[in-house]
Coordinates of all heavy atoms in Angstrom, one line a residue:
N89 N 7.2 -1.2 -10.1 CA 6.2 -2.0 -10.8 C 6.0 -1.5 -12.3 O 6.2 -0.4 -12.6 CB 4.8 -1.9 -10.1 CG 4.8 -2.3 -8.7 OD1 4.8 -3.5 -8.3 ND2 4.9 -1.3 -7.8
L90 N 5.7 -2.5 -13.1 CA 5.5 -2.2 -14.5 C 4.3 -3.0 -15.0 O 4.2 -4.2 -14.7 CB 6.7 -2.6 -15.4 CG 6.6 -2.4 -16.9 CD1 6.5 -0.9 -17.2 CD2 7.8 -3.0 -17.6
G91 N 3.3 -2.4 -15.6 CA 2.1 -3.1 -16.0 C 1.4 -2.6 -17.3 O 1.8 -1.6 -17.8
F92 N 0.5 -3.4 -17.7 CA -0.2 -3.1 -19.0 C -1.7 -3.5 -18.8 O -1.9 -4.7 -18.3 CB 0.4 -3.8 -20.2 CG -0.3 -3.6 -21.5 CD1 -0.1 -2.5 -22.2 CD2 -1.2 -4.5 -21.9 CE1 -0.7 -2.2 -23.4 CE2 -1.9 -4.3 -23.1 CZ -1.6 -3.2 -23.9
T93 N -2.6 -2.7 -19.2 CA -4.1 -3.0 -19.1 C -4.8 -2.6 -20.4 O -4.3 -1.7 -21.1 CB -4.7 -2.3 -17.9 OG1 -4.6 -0.9 -18.1 CG2 -4.1 -2.8 -16.6
T94 N -5.9 -3.3 -20.6 CA -6.7 -2.9 -21.8 C -8.1 -3.5 -21.6 O -8.3 -4.4 -20.7 CB -6.1 -3.5 -23.1 OG1 -6.9 -3.0 -24.2 CG2 -6.2 -5.0 -23.1
N95 N -9.1 -3.1 -22.4 CA -10.4 -3.6 -22.5 C -10.4 -4.6 -23.7 O -10.4 -4.1 -24.8 CB -11.4 -2.6 -22.6 CG -12.9 -3.1 -22.5 OD1 -13.1 -4.2 -23.0 ND2 -13.7 -2.4 -21.9
F96 N -10.3 -5.9 -23.5 CA -10.2 -6.8 -24.6 C -11.4 -6.9 -25.4 O -11.3 -7.3 -26.6 CB -9.9 -8.2 -24.0 CG -8.5 -8.3 -23.4 CD1 -8.3 -8.2 -22.0 CD2 -7.4 -8.5 -24.2 CE1 -7.1 -8.3 -21.5 CE2 -6.1 -8.6 -23.7 CZ -6.0 -8.5 -22.3
A97 N -12.6 -6.4 -24.9 CA -13.8 -6.5 -25.7 C -13.9 -5.3 -26.7 O -14.2 -5.5 -27.9 CB -15.0 -6.5 -24.8
T98 N -13.6 -4.1 -26.2 CA -13.7 -3.0 -27.1 C -12.4 -2.4 -27.6 O -12.4 -1.5 -28.4 CB -14.4 -1.8 -26.3 OG1 -13.6 -1.5 -25.2 CG2 -15.8 -2.3 -25.8
K99 N -11.3 -3.0 -27.1 CA -9.9 -2.5 -27.5 C -9.7 -1.0 -27.1 O -8.9 -0.3 -27.7 CB -9.7 -2.7 -29.0 CG -9.9 -4.1 -29.5 CD -9.0 -5.1 -28.8 CE -9.2 -6.5 -29.3 NZ -8.4 -7.5 -28.6
T100 N -10.4 -0.6 -26.1 CA -10.2 0.8 -25.6 C -9.6 0.8 -24.2 O -9.5 -0.3 -23.6 CB -11.5 1.6 -25.6 OG1 -12.4 0.9 -24.7 CG2 -12.1 1.7 -27.0
D101 N -9.4 1.9 -23.6 CA -8.8 2.0 -22.3 C -7.5 1.2 -22.2 O -7.3 0.5 -21.2 CB -9.8 1.6 -21.2 CG -9.4 2.1 -19.8 OD1 -8.6 3.1 -19.7 OD2 -9.8 1.5 -18.8
T102 N -6.7 1.3 -23.2 CA -5.4 0.6 -23.2 C -4.3 1.5 -22.8 O -4.2 2.7 -23.2 CB -5.1 0.1 -24.7 OG1 -6.2 -0.7 -25.1 CG2 -3.8 -0.6 -24.7
G103 N -3.4 1.0 -21.9 CA -2.3 1.8 -21.4 C -1.3 1.0 -20.7 O -1.5 -0.1 -20.3
G104 N -0.2 1.6 -20.5 CA 0.9 1.0 -19.7 C 1.3 1.9 -18.5 O 1.1 3.2 -18.6
F105 N 1.7 1.4 -17.5 CA 2.0 2.2 -16.3 C 3.3 1.7 -15.6 O 3.6 0.5 -15.7 CB 0.9 2.3 -15.3 CG 0.5 0.9 -14.7 CD1 1.1 0.5 -13.6 CD2 -0.4 0.1 -15.3 CE1 0.8 -0.8 -13.0 CE2 -0.8 -1.1 -14.8 CZ -0.2 -1.6 -13.6
T106 N 3.9 2.6 -14.9 CA 5.0 2.2 -14.0 C 5.0 3.1 -12.8 O 4.6 4.3 -12.9 CB 6.4 2.4 -14.8 OG1 7.5 1.9 -13.9 CG2 6.7 3.8 -15.1
N107 N 5.4 2.6 -11.7 CA 5.5 3.4 -10.4 C 6.6 2.9 -9.5 O 7.0 1.7 -9.6 CB 4.1 3.4 -9.7 CG 3.5 2.1 -9.5 OD1 4.1 1.2 -8.9 ND2 2.3 1.9 -10.0
F108 N 7.1 3.8 -8.7 CA 8.1 3.4 -7.7 C 7.8 4.1 -6.4 O 7.3 5.2 -6.3 CB 9.5 4.0 -8.2 CG 9.9 3.5 -9.6 CD1 9.5 4.2 -10.7 CD2 10.6 2.3 -9.7 CE1 9.9 3.7 -12.0 CE2 10.9 1.8 -11.0 CZ 10.6 2.5 -12.1

Side-chain angles (χ1 to χ4, degrees):
N89 304 280
L90 179 66
F92 178 84
T93 60
T94 188
N95 187 323
F96 290 97
T98 62
K99 305 300 181 182
T100 59
D101 197 22
T102 299
F105 63 88
T106 183
N107 52 58
F108 304 91

